[in-house]
Amino acid sequence: MAMVDEASALAVAGCLFHGFSDASRLAIVRHLAVGEHRVVDLTAHLGLAQSTVSKHLACLRDCGLVESRAEGRASVFRLAHPEATLELLAAAEKLLGLTGDAVALCPNYGLNHG
């Protein structure tokens, strides 16, 4: 039985969390948790440019978090693993509730960093 390289496993986990690291991508994931959406639907719901939504969907697709299918000339997007994604989001909300403002105030990654 081969041992998993811990550094590689952590790097891959970091890549997964990078997929969720942008507020716009999180908003897209939350909308897709309700059901399938076309880019034009997400653009209208989120008030973002079509190019921005498409860029974020490409990132999420490349991470294996969303899938798409053709419907006429449009692509319809959905969560690739809805149950696991919803469980992760619920765990994140629970952890955010437990940390209070600490995450927002973090000097490295909080709302006022940089």
Side-chain angles (χ1 to χ4, degrees), residues 36-87:
E36 296 182 328
H37 284 74
R38 298 174 300 157
V39 173
V40 67
D41 301 327
L42 292 167
T43 300
H45 292 310
L46 300 171
L48 298 172
Q50 182 273 329
S51 60
T52 301
V53 171
S54 293
K55 178 185 75 165
H56 287 307
L57 284 167
C59 174
L60 293 166
R61 185 180 51 235
D62 291 346
C63 290
L65 299 170
V66 301
E67 301 172 331
S68 64
R69 64 178 173 77
E71 187 173 277
R73 293 178 54 188
S75 292
V76 180
F77 289 84
R78 67 183 168 276
L79 294 178
H81 308 283
E83 185 175 317
T85 302
L86 291 174
E87 288 173 4

Side-chain angles (χ1 to χ4, degrees), residues 16-17 20 65 82-94:
L16 171 67
F17 283 101
F20 290 109
L65 299 170
E83 185 175 317
T85 302
L86 291 174
E87 288 173 4
L88 179 64
L89 293 176
E93 287 181 16
K94 181 178 180 180

